[in-house]
């Protein structure tokens, strides 16, 4: 790490000590964003998200929960710049998002690793796009493979790795090109409970180490409360932000899930979601 | 959070030892995670060697049917179960084969066939792959060419042979064009489908990393399509010999197809079978060669 980033880290730490995290600048600004799709063979437009406004601050860990089909992934695609909004605007560092870029990294639920590349070569992918020289590429890829606890697995192909290991490689790949923002679309949903828990812990550790801004989509309430500093609850389709909750524990030491406040948060979100899930199921019935 | 401790814990989890409980860790069971299991699995797989005996058993099992066929071919004509004039014993055929080899007859015909099929096959690879990539990748090209392609792919190559002979004469050109035509289809269609069936998530993932269309094609579409393209190439390899023999039977002065036809006309039955065996061997060899090239190009595949 360069001197400059070390200084920056120090600076950020002092800011964090001085004030609340909300004092940090807005990293991602979502202003009255809507996305309407034209469905083929139907003249009725499909509204995925509607009038979403949300600010994500620098270095924040925000989780996004909502019933299935509520447009969570659409919202993530919008932030990633993979699609553009039909109304409203999205800003990153105050400038409108205009297409995808290496300042944002995405981690998908299905890993999206390139099967013809080894773990190391997969991690190098984004660095190649960034035109990092080969030597440095290799070095950095190894560093991030270490960071996710996979040293020794450099030359394995994705099909030779377990689900948890593949997701570690995917996370390392997104971290390797050093984006400011990490967008994660239900990254641990396909993993077994144990692997999921250990990856959640590691993600928190990596987040603390790297000061990334993380937007994490999940349908798991526990996961949202465990990981997020704030939890944004979405409504059923068309997706809007129903409520944003601050998650604050006195201490994150020990078994967080056993903390009585964990249960309270969990219940609160569950209540918020219950009506939405029912509405979403009703929608599915009437459409299907 | 204690970074150092959790960092090593994570390393160990992916390696062998169980992590010592990290101070901030949530409860984590003692059962191995799927990462642990995978690690152990690879260790076992890495150490295990197939014993010579079991490999030998496989060879025997695999060649048993072939040996049996050869035995029947030898015995049945000799005991008079089949007419030895029309189906001579295998040994006689092998002798005829050896004689033709020494006389230089076989190498001459073999060479003629090989040059024709390799030329047509090579031409098909060189032309059909780029065309297939263009059709698969550029929608306008696909829309423009699809109707014509649909028409031609349903026109049998064999039906077009007279046309090729009319246009290119009875010489080498018409045969090479004929082989090329037959080989181009499997390669073209597989290349198109290889490009079109690239996992959309991979494209999305690459796009999210800011890849433009050119690099996306070079770094994602092409490598992802390689296995499917190879399936087409292997099919074409088989076709190249198959259709050539037909062309050589219709009108040629050399080649294995001509040899077989000529031997039959002049009632040199063992020579005819020798020609047929040579073709089978050639086809087999071709396929094995292409398979090994394919393996080199797609070591990453699961199967």
């Amino acid at each position: 790490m360069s001197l400059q980033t070390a200084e920056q880290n120090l600076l950020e730490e002092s800011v964090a000590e001085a004030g609340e995290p909300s004092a940090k600048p807005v990293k991602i600004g979502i202003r009255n964003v809507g996305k309407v799709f034209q469905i083929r063979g139907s003249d009725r437009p499909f509204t995925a998200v509607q009038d979403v406004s949300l600010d994500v601050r620098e270095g924040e860990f925000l989780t996004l929960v909502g019933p299935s089909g509520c447009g969570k992934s659409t919202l993530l695609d919008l932030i990633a710049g993979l699609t553009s909004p039909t109304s409203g605007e999205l800003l990153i560092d105050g400038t409108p998002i205009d297409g995808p870029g290496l300042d944002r990294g995405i981690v998908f639920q299905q890993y999206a690793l390139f099967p013809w590349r080894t773990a190391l070569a997969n991690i190098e992918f984004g660095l190649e796009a960034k035109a990092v020289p080969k030597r440095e590429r290799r070095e950095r890829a190894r560093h991030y493979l270490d960071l996710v606890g996979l040293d020794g697995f450099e030359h394995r192909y994705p099909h030779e790795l377990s689900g948890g290991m593949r997701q570690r490689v995917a996370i390392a790949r997104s971290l390797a090109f050093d984006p400011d923002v990490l967008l994660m679309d239900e990254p641990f949903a396909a993993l077994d409970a144990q692997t999921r828990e250990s990856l959640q812990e590691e993600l928190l550790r990596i987040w603390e180490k790297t000061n990334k801004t993380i937007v994490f989509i999940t349908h798991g309430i526990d996961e949202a409360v465990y990981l997020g500093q704030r939890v944004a609850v979405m409504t059923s389709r068309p997706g809007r932000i129903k409520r944003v909750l601050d998650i604050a524990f006195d201490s994150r030491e020990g078994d967080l899930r056993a903390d009585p406040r964990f249960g309270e948060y969990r219940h609160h979100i569950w209540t918020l979601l219950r009506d939405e899930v029912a509405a979403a199921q009703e929608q599915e019935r009437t459409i299907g | 959070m204690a970074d150092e401790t959790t960092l090593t814990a994570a390393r160990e989890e992916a390696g062998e030892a169980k992590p010592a409980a990290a101070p901030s860790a949530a409860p984590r069971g003692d059962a191995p995670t799927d990462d642990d299991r995978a690690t152990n699995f690879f260790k076992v797989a890495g150490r295990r060697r197939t014993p010579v005996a079991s490999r030998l058993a496989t060879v025997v099992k695999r060649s048993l049917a072939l040996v049996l066929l050869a035995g029947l071919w030898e015995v049945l004509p000799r005991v008079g179960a089949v007419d030895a004039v029309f189906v001579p014993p295998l040994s006689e055929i092998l002798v005829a084969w050896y004689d033709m080899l020494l006389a230089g007859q076989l190498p001459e015909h073999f060479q003629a066939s090989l040059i024709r099929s390799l030329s047509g096959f090579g031409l098909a690879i060189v032309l059909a792959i780029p065309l297939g990539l263009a059709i698969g990748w550029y929608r306008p090209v696909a829309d423009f060419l699809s109707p014509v392609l649909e028409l031609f792919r349903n026109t049998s190559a064999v039906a077009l042979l007279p046309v090729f002979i009319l246009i290119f004469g009875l010489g080498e050109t018409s045969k090479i064009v004929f082989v090329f035509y037959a080989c181009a289809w499997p390669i073209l269609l597989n290349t198109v489908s290889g490009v079109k069936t690239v996992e959309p998530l991979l494209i999305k993932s690459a796009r999210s990393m800011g890849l433009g269309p050119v690099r996306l094609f070079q770094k994602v579409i092409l490598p992802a399509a390689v296995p499917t393209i190879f399936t087409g190439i292997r099919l074409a390899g088989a076709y190249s010999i198959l259709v050539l023999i037909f062309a050589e039977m219709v009108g040629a002065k050399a080649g294995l197809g001509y040899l077989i036809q000529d031997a039959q006309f002049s009632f040199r039955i063992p020579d005819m079978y020798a020609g047929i065996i040579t073709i089978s061997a050639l086809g087999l060899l071709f396929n094995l060669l292409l398979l090994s090239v394919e393996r080199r190009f797609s070591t990453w595949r699961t199967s």
Side-chain angles (χ1 to χ4, degrees):
Chain A
M1 287 287 150
S2 68
L3 197 69
Q4 202 189 346
T5 49
E7 260 175 21
Q8 225 171 347
N9 291 350
L10 271 176
L11 199 71
E12 274 163 21
E13 266 169 40
S14 60
V15 169
E17 275 165 24
E20 289 297 303
S22 59
K24 287 198 176 175
V26 172
K27 187 76 196 173
I28 305 165
I30 305 171
R31 306 282 146 77
N32 309 102
V33 161
K35 177 74 187 176
V36 180
F37 291 102
Q38 283 304 327
I39 303 288
R40 229 182 310 168
S42 154
D43 33 73
R44 221 176 41 185
F46 180 95
T47 310
V49 290
Q50 196 175 50
D51 198 28
V52 170
S53 291
L54 186 67
D55 280 342
V56 186
R57 296 191 173 273
E58 208 173 283
E60 186 182 6
F61 200 133
L62 179 102
T63 50
L64 202 63
V65 280
S68 69
C70 76
K72 296 181 294 244
S73 297
T74 306
L75 196 59
L76 205 77
D77 283 356
L78 285 164
I79 302 173
L82 291 167
T83 52
S84 41
T86 27
S87 59
E89 62 171 353
L90 290 119
L91 307 167
I92 186 146
D93 292 324
T95 49
I97 289 173
D98 163 37
L102 288 168
D103 53 344
R104 286 149 287 154
I106 311 188
V107 179
F108 299 95
Q109 183 188 333
Q110 294 306 331
Y111 326 125
L113 296 178
F114 302 108
W116 57 88
R117 283 173 168 246
T118 59
L120 205 63
N122 258 291
I123 299 174
E124 282 182 45
F125 192 91
L127 299 171
E128 288 170 26
K130 220 176 175 177
V132 174
K134 190 170 180 167
R135 236 187 115 95
E136 197 190 330
R137 234 162 44 205
R138 193 112 296 197
E139 244 165 62
R140 270 219 248 173
R142 275 183 199 282
H143 168 77
Y144 282 99
L145 203 68
D146 272 9
L147 184 75
V148 296
L150 280 182
D151 45 342
F153 291 85
E154 290 86 348
H155 303 300
R156 295 255 194 261
Y157 286 97
H159 77 265
E160 298 171 317
L161 299 171
S162 69
M165 292 162 115
R166 285 183 210 180
Q167 197 54 286
R168 284 167 200 266
V169 174
I171 292 171
R173 180 176 64 183
S174 289
L175 288 170
F177 53 83
D178 200 24
D180 298 336
V181 178
L182 214 52
L183 304 169
M184 309 185 84
D185 192 354
E186 303 199 17
F188 307 148
L191 306 174
D192 64 81
Q194 230 143 35
T195 310
R196 177 158 58 236
E197 271 187 24
S198 72
L199 275 173
Q200 284 169 351
E201 246 175 73
E202 273 187 58
L203 181 63
L204 283 178
R205 172 182 62 80
I206 289 166
W207 170 62
E208 277 163 6
K209 237 175 118 90
T210 56
N211 295 312
K212 303 282 180 213
T213 308
I214 298 182
V215 179
F216 188 106
I217 287 182
T218 175
H219 57 249
I221 301 174
D222 282 41
E223 189 168 60
V225 175
Y226 181 75
L227 291 173
Q229 288 176 302
R230 285 196 299 158
V231 177
V233 181
M234 284 184 81
T235 65
S236 58
R237 195 177 57 79
R240 278 157 291 143
I241 302 291
K242 185 167 187 169
R243 191 80 61 83
V244 182
L245 279 136
D246 283 304
I247 306 291
F249 292 104
D250 299 331
S251 145
R252 288 191 73 93
E253 299 292 305
D255 182 3
L256 202 65
R257 292 175 180 88
D259 193 309
R261 300 196 67 176
F262 191 95
E264 282 167 31
Y265 286 132
R266 196 192 170 287
H267 182 72
H268 190 176
I269 295 169
W270 181 83
T271 320
L272 286 170
L273 274 173
R274 189 179 46 185
D275 303 338
E276 299 306 329
V277 171
Q281 281 168 349
E282 185 58 38
Q283 266 176 3
E284 264 169 39
R285 261 198 294 278
T286 50
I287 290 168
Chain B
M1 250 195 207
D3 276 340
E4 283 305 304
T5 335
T6 37
L7 186 70
T8 41
R11 282 221 187 95
E12 279 162 359
E13 192 217 328
E16 299 121 318
K18 281 308 294 174
S24 63
R28 183 201 276 162
D30 283 320
T33 64
D34 70 334
D35 294 13
D36 288 328
R37 260 178 268 130
T39 318
N40 292 335
F41 168 74
F42 288 125
K43 283 202 181 121
V44 173
R47 237 181 255 146
R48 208 175 54 202
R49 289 271 144 74
T50 326
V52 183
S54 87
R55 198 174 288 176
L56 208 69
T58 321
V59 171
V60 170
K61 225 190 299 176
R62 290 245 175 143
S63 51
L64 191 65
L66 269 180
V67 172
L68 210 69
L69 178 74
L72 283 176
W73 196 342
E74 182 63 36
V75 172
L76 290 184
R78 287 201 187 281
V79 297
V82 294
D83 193 334
V85 176
F86 297 131
V87 187
L90 184 60
S91 56
E92 274 179 38
I93 292 161
L94 292 178
V95 168
W97 187 85
Y98 188 65
D99 286 343
M100 280 202 288
L101 183 71
L102 288 189
Q105 218 174 339
L106 201 61
E108 180 201 324
H109 291 300
F110 187 83
Q111 193 190 358
S113 289
L114 200 65
I115 288 173
R116 286 168 189 154
S117 74
L118 283 183
S119 308
F121 177 61
L123 214 58
I125 290 179
V126 171
L127 294 177
I129 292 179
L131 185 64
L133 294 176
I135 293 172
W137 188 234
Y138 295 108
R139 195 54 202 258
V141 179
D143 289 343
F144 176 68
L145 287 176
S146 279
V148 185
L149 292 179
E150 207 53 43
L151 185 70
F152 274 99
R153 77 182 259 214
N154 286 301
T155 310
S156 154
V158 173
L160 283 177
L161 182 58
V163 181
F164 292 143
I165 292 174
L166 271 180
I167 298 174
F168 300 106
L170 263 170
E172 296 302 297
T173 319
S174 66
K175 290 178 190 64
I176 291 172
V177 170
F178 179 59
V179 172
F180 159 73
Y181 182 86
C183 290
W185 291 109
I187 298 178
L188 185 72
L189 297 175
N190 273 283
T191 306
V192 172
S193 101
V195 172
K196 279 195 168 164
T197 54
V198 175
E199 167 70 46
L201 187 62
L202 294 183
I203 299 176
K204 189 176 174 182
S205 169
R207 279 220 303 135
S208 80
M209 285 186 261
L211 259 71
V214 176
R215 306 194 68 186
L216 181 69
F217 186 82
Q218 171 203 347
K219 287 194 179 285
V220 180
I221 308 289
L222 208 55
V226 162
T228 323
I229 294 175
F230 255 105
T231 308
I233 290 180
R234 268 201 301 128
L235 262 174
Y239 284 4
S240 73
I241 294 165
L242 229 66
V243 300
L244 176 70
I245 300 304
F246 176 76
E248 285 174 346
M249 282 180 166
V250 171
K253 283 279 155 278
L256 291 171
Y258 164 78
L259 171 74
I260 293 166
Q261 189 86 332
D262 184 54
Q264 195 240 5
F265 281 157
S266 45
F267 222 70
R268 290 180 281 119
I269 303 297
D271 286 4
M272 181 189 82
Y273 282 109
I276 294 173
I277 287 178
T278 311
I279 288 164
S280 304
L282 178 63
L284 210 64
L285 209 73
F286 222 44
N287 197 38
L288 283 177
L289 201 75
L290 289 173
L291 261 177
S292 71
V293 175
E294 182 178 2
R295 266 196 215 110
R296 275 189 64 113
F297 270 97
S298 45
T299 42
W300 50 273
R301 291 184 86 191
T302 329
S303 51

